[in-house]
Amino acid sequence: MTFATLGLIEPLLRSLEKLGYQTPTPVQAQAIPAVLAGRDLMAAAQTGTGKTAGFALPLLQLLAMEGPKVTANSVRALILVPTRELAEQVHEAVRQYAENLPLRTYAVYGGVSINPQMMKLRSGVDLLVATPGRLLDLFRQNALKFNQLQTLVLDEADRMLDLGFSEELANIYKALPKKRQTLLFSATFSDDIRLLAGQMLNDPLSIEVSPRNVAANTVKQWVVTVDKKRKPELFVHLMRKGKWKQVLVFAKTRNGVDALVEKLQGLGINADGIHGDKPQATRQRALDRFKASDVQILVATDVAARGLDIEDLPLVVNFDLPIVAEDYIHRIGRTGRAGSTGEAISLVCADEVNLLSAIEMLTRQTLKRQNEPDFEPEHRVPDTDASGQVVKKPKKPKKPKASGGGGKRNLGKWVDSGEVSAPEPSVKPVRKVPVFNTGPRKRKP
Ligand code: AMP
């Protein structure tokens, strides 16, 4: 199968040739003909599957071949994405695909001045990539009209709900023409996503290119157990031992990102961080430098790193496990992309045992544990497996005090999940934010 046999026009084929795309990926093979035929789509596809081209190519073709010329402040196709970085990334892909077509494309997102965006929209754009909040701001300030809108794409729909965008989505939905084509892409399909799909899609074609909720099998994954306070030390040790060249590291909080970056920089290691508290320009610069290999270690919170496509990233480290198990799949999806192999290492402390268990249950695998000599935790991480069980072993009988140490290594205190000092929030792999409901908004993680 080739892109030509899927019905793509010559200007797009030329762009693909320039980009070196030879064969359509499975999601492209299914999505492209369906979108060209005008169908609504509900696609379960992780990042790394080629889904962006799966919706962008046929969308550009429809825009080029059909419909009226775009009028002032109007937009003919809208791609909604959860984060600013993803908006830039998707728009960059669109720009490359559309190189030989007479179409105007643009991206809008928050964290930067709205005025240049308003100016740019004045003459109308054929395809707009947007984050939901800024899109609504522009709409409310009459910088945007939707009367010419023919296609809506919801990219990473699950993440948009996770980030509390359900209210914005509901308001955007109300402002759109009822007659339109809608494509929904989501890495995972929770009940809330199905509800959203039920409201927004019309007789959609369902596409599922990878088994539901299963992590990419091109990624070698393992866990190193360690005490919480020794994580930075273990990270540096593993980095030096493994001679890591380029690593994307996930930490749970903004403070966690800053603390690790400071520690690494203090050791002369070339590290930078991105999280929601940093100005957009700083975030983008750090990311660009990381992509250009000018930064060796990029430490990020989940929101800042979602959906990013970084070529040939060999290694992802979970410095902290994610609170929402599905984020594990997204995180490790940053490596092992487009058929290459990758590694994902998680540093896990006793407090995180329930998070580990939720991840294993979701991905239906027991993650291999590999202890690092000299870093065995004092607070042992109880055994877990893919059934979601946290195995509570009986405490070891205490040795009589009189027996003496005899030079034996102290293998540490036995801790079961009941003894965990700071329990994490419930980690059932389900969505917490109801669709179209005004849940508390998790801004700028
Ligand atoms: P995505 O899942 O859309 O983020 O795409 C992941 C990566 O795969 C991007 O770097 C794309 O440029 C690349 N890609 C997408 N489709 C193809 C293809 N058919 N052949 C080669 N690379 C592709």
Side-chain angles (χ1 to χ4, degrees):
M1 188 196 305
T2 63
F3 285 105
T5 57
L6 292 178
L8 290 181
I9 52 176
E10 203 269 337
L12 290 169
L13 297 177
R14 266 192 287 142
S15 305
L16 296 179
E17 201 179 320
K18 188 170 163 194
L19 289 167
Y21 293 13
Q22 282 169 353
T23 318
T25 66
V27 70
Q28 290 160 2
Q30 294 179 68
I32 291 172
V35 178
L36 287 177
R39 288 287 303 263
D40 278 7
L41 216 64
M42 171 156 152
Q46 311 173 27
T47 42
T49 55
K51 69 185 168 73
T52 314
F55 62 75
L57 292 168
L59 200 58
L60 290 166
Q61 177 155 334
L62 293 179
L63 289 170
M65 307 283 287
E66 294 172 9
K69 203 171 169 322
V70 71
T71 58
N73 291 104
S74 287
V75 50
R76 295 172 62 209
L78 175 64
I79 302 174
L80 286 177
V81 295
T83 65
R84 301 158 189 182
E85 282 81 3
L86 201 53
E88 276 292 341
Q89 183 178 299
V90 169
H91 182 240
E92 179 55 23
V94 164
R95 219 186 42 71
Q96 291 177 338
Y97 303 147
E99 200 178 62
N100 305 308
L101 292 172
L103 296 172
R104 279 204 291 265
T105 67
Y106 190 46
V108 294
Y109 42 81
V112 293
S113 168
I114 199 168
N115 289 336
Q117 299 180 345
M118 294 174 93
M119 298 275 285
K120 179 86 183 183
L121 290 171
R122 264 191 209 158
S123 44
V125 293
D126 293 288
L127 185 152
L128 183 68
V129 186
T131 52
R134 178 53 61 95
L135 185 84
L136 270 182
D137 285 348
L138 288 160
F139 175 67
R140 287 180 178 141
Q141 298 190 41
N142 296 320
L144 257 181
K145 291 184 292 192
F146 295 124
N147 53 324
Q148 279 197 313
L149 188 107
Q150 56 192 62
T151 311
L152 168 71
V153 181
L154 299 164
D155 190 17
E156 310 242 351
D158 50 351
R159 189 58 174 180
M160 286 199 271
L161 295 188
D162 276 350
L163 292 176
F165 281 131
S166 47
E167 194 191 346
E168 281 87 347
L169 290 181
N171 286 328
I172 294 167
Y173 175 67
K174 274 190 244 154
L176 299 180
K178 294 287 156 278
K179 190 171 170 299
R180 52 154 212 274
Q181 184 179 24
T182 308
L183 319 174
L184 184 147
F185 285 79
S186 193
T188 50
F189 269 80
S190 63
D191 292 343
D192 285 340
I193 290 289
R194 286 178 197 281
L195 193 60
L196 178 75
Q199 286 164 320
M200 288 199 150
L201 304 179
N202 175 25
D203 184 26
L205 178 76
S206 287
I207 294 182
E208 195 161 347
V209 290
S210 52
R212 208 176 142 178
N213 295 344
V214 173
N217 56 14
T218 49
V219 181
K220 190 177 153 209
Q221 306 159 56
W222 77 88
V223 160
V224 186
T225 58
V226 62
D227 284 330
K228 193 184 212 159
K229 60 179 186 307
R230 294 196 72 197
K231 279 191 180 185
E233 200 188 332
L234 172 64
F235 179 86
V236 174
H237 165 81
L238 290 173
M239 191 189 128
R240 288 187 171 146
K241 184 173 148 192
K243 298 191 172 55
W244 292 346
K245 288 201 174 66
Q246 221 200 357
V247 196
L248 180 61
V249 186
F250 286 94
K252 195 163 51 187
T253 63
R254 303 169 210 172
N255 287 344
V257 169
D258 289 340
L260 183 58
V261 169
E262 198 177 311
K263 161 117 190 153
L264 295 175
Q265 288 176 343
L267 292 168
I269 295 165
N270 182 359
D272 206 343
I274 51 174
H275 57 63
D277 256 359
K278 298 201 175 211
Q280 184 55 26
T282 314
R283 281 163 67 166
Q284 195 63 46
R285 194 167 52 244
L287 186 62
D288 289 344
R289 293 187 64 226
F290 184 65
K291 284 185 177 183
S293 302
D294 292 339
V295 165
Q296 185 189 359
I297 313 275
L298 186 68
V299 191
T301 52
D302 283 292
V303 70
R306 172 66 187 232
L308 300 180
D309 178 37
I310 300 163
E311 236 169 274
D312 295 331
L313 184 62
L315 177 63
V316 165
V317 172
N318 293 311
F319 187 81
D320 302 308
L321 287 183
I323 302 280
V324 178
E326 282 161 2
D327 280 341
Y328 177 82
I329 297 172
H330 302 307
R331 287 178 175 192
I332 72 161
R334 306 304 97 225
T335 181
R337 311 199 76 184
S340 62
T341 54
E343 275 182 57
I345 306 175
S346 301
L347 313 188
V348 179
C349 65
D351 285 3
E352 295 172 306
V353 66
N354 289 335
L355 304 180
L356 178 62
S357 168
I359 288 164
E360 291 182 335
M361 193 162 65
L362 181 71
T363 59
R364 301 184 207 125
Q365 62 182 340
T366 305
L367 291 171
K368 202 174 135 225
R369 294 191 185 193
Q370 198 164 298
N371 275 344
E372 195 56 32
D374 297 330
F375 285 91
E376 290 98 344
E378 278 191 24
H379 298 279
R380 190 183 166 280
V381 181
D383 289 338
T384 49
D385 63 34
S387 70
Q389 295 288 313
V390 175
V391 184
K392 294 182 185 181
K393 288 190 179 166
K395 290 191 176 188
K396 282 179 183 170
K398 276 189 183 160
K399 283 194 180 142
K401 276 191 179 139
S403 65
K408 265 196 160 184
R409 251 190 92 71
N410 173 17
L411 286 179
K413 185 179 154 221
W414 192 276
V415 174
D416 71 21
S417 57
E419 288 177 278
V420 167
S421 54
E424 297 290 349
S426 158
V427 289
K428 278 192 170 176
V430 293
R431 298 263 164 264
K432 287 181 221 112
V433 187
V435 177
F436 292 174
N437 204 354
T438 341
R441 174 115 177 228
K442 284 185 257 166
R443 284 188 194 271
K444 298 198 290 182

